[in-house]
Amino acid sequence: MARGQIIPRGKSSFRVMVYAGRDPVTRKERRLTGTARSRREAEKLLTRLLSQLDEQRRPATGATLGYLLDRWLETVNLELTTRHTYEGYINRTIRPVLGDLKLVKLTVDVLDRYYADLRKRGGVGDRPMGAGTVRKIHFILRAALNLAVRWQWLPSNPAALASPPPFIQKEVHPPTPEDVAKLIEAAWAADPDFGALLWLAMTTGARRGELCGLRWRAVRLAERDLVVSRSYVQRGGQRQEKDTKTHQSRRLALDEVTVAVLTEHLERCRAHARVCGVELAADAFVFSLSPDGRTPLLPDSVSQRFRRLAERVGISTTLHSFGRHFSATQLLAGGVDVRTVAGRLGHGGGGATTLRVYSHFVAAADRRAAELLGKAVPRPGQQG
């Protein structure tokens, strides 16, 4: 049986396929595949895939970083959005430069020079990368190389001693209350349903996927609260309802105005369903374009609509800043304790993330606390 095949697909495309045996776990046939635009490219690709197949048979000595990354993606448990992001970094940035490098030649100095080059020139055809992006690439490499160590392909992990750029937390710049009011008013005038979504984003600080995944059964208007336990995500053509980012649900208290906004929104949803001759589904999404509420809004569509709204109103901000950053900073400025703010936002770590992201707002609140205590009791030696 031939080890590999080049199969023409039309006039200007070729499919390359290499038989890689059966998976020892699933017993399914494994094939390495790829496409090329010319016969010459296809022959080069076939050679590369055959070489990759040989690496599988002697991984401890011949495996490349590219092959390791493929195996790591097969085994690691990643959520849809995270996997999409990591695959983008691997295919666009890591693989073109280091993909063919054998693991035994991947040293600490190679990684340090690679990180420095990303900071100066960026990836293939890209602009120089920020420190945060380079750190994400470092995280991927370190995790994949940890797997190589566990599989005894490497004696140690070179990424563990490499020096990615230090983490620098950027200050957040939420819109002002006046800008938030202007955005909500403009949204409400055009579409009260979208206005209701923005109002809930502002008062709860919920993530956009959490807003899209919110169902009416999780909202208790009489008790003035709701439970955030699900999120709706999309990447390309893939869509998925899942649990929250921290895999934990949280109950959020609602103020009277928000309850009124949601009550009116529910009545509009029911009225729209009646006009269309259907009933609002028992598990209907709070924000939906379908009359029965069975189909959620897409997170990317919500962000795009908000961006167009902000441009029309003339305010430079994002949905994330409008909702989460504004909600968090207003609560901290109002003296709400960090643990409560972290709970409403769904931050893990008992408030550590909240302290890191909003440190300058926490510092301002701490300054007000100091002034308050300093004025509570007369200065010693000045009583008389």
Side-chain angles (χ1 to χ4, degrees), residues 102-179:
K102 293 186 182 300
L103 292 177
V104 293
K105 295 184 177 180
L106 186 63
T107 58
V108 176
D109 70 293
V110 168
L111 289 175
D112 282 345
R113 286 185 283 113
Y114 176 59
Y115 296 154
D117 193 62
L118 289 177
R119 294 283 281 144
K120 293 177 182 177
R121 290 195 290 266
V124 178
D126 292 333
R127 295 173 297 178
M129 288 186 173
T133 303
V134 177
R135 287 184 63 84
K136 291 177 182 177
I137 291 172
H138 168 72
F139 175 84
I140 293 171
L141 290 172
R142 182 165 182 169
L145 290 166
N146 274 338
L147 184 65
V149 173
R150 291 201 303 273
W151 285 351
Q152 298 182 354
W153 294 6
L154 287 174
S156 61
N157 186 344
L161 297 176
S163 302
F167 177 81
I168 300 175
Q169 180 66 56
K170 295 182 179 179
E171 290 190 358
V172 299
H173 298 285
T176 64
E178 293 75 19
D179 286 344

Side-chain angles (χ1 to χ4, degrees), residues 185-360:
E185 190 66 31
W188 203 282
D191 179 2
D193 292 347
F194 189 57
L197 185 151
L198 294 188
W199 180 271
L200 195 62
M202 181 267 296
T203 56
T204 65
R207 300 176 177 90
R208 63 172 191 170
E210 295 170 343
L211 293 169
C212 292
L214 183 65
R215 297 179 187 265
W216 281 114
R217 66 189 180 197
V219 180
R220 303 192 308 176
L221 295 174
E223 290 79 3
R224 291 171 46 182
D225 65 21
L226 59 81
V227 175
V228 177
S229 62
R230 305 294 291 169
S231 181
Y232 198 80
V233 298
Q234 66 174 130
R235 276 299 178 269
Q238 294 181 289
R239 301 169 185 179
Q240 177 185 354
E241 186 179 0
K242 64 179 192 65
D243 56 3
T244 64
K245 186 174 182 179
T246 57
H247 310 291
Q248 294 179 338
S249 62
R250 61 189 190 276
R251 187 176 297 277
L252 302 180
L254 303 175
D255 63 281
E256 291 184 4
V257 177
T258 300
V259 170
V261 167
L262 287 176
T263 300
E264 294 173 3
H265 178 58
L266 177 58
E267 288 305 314
R268 285 194 302 272
C269 292
R270 288 171 172 166
H272 181 53
R274 288 194 297 269
V275 169
C276 295
V278 298
E279 291 185 358
L280 198 63
D283 61 346
F285 290 96
V286 174
F287 302 106
S288 171
L289 295 179
S290 58
D292 58 5
R294 293 186 183 276
T295 306
L297 295 180
L298 298 180
D300 286 352
S301 298
V302 173
S303 292
Q304 292 165 7
R305 187 173 183 182
F306 180 84
R307 184 174 63 251
R308 292 194 297 269
L309 171 70
E311 290 174 352
R312 186 171 74 249
V313 176
I315 296 174
S316 178
T317 189
T318 64
L319 179 61
H320 194 81
S321 291
F322 169 89
R324 288 179 69 74
H325 289 340
F326 179 80
S327 179
T329 54
Q330 287 297 303
L331 292 174
L332 291 170
V336 178
D337 65 278
V338 172
R339 185 176 291 275
T340 299
V341 176
R344 289 187 67 85
L345 294 177
H347 280 164
T353 301
T354 311
L355 283 171
R356 185 180 72 248
V357 176
Y358 304 106
S359 59
H360 50 303

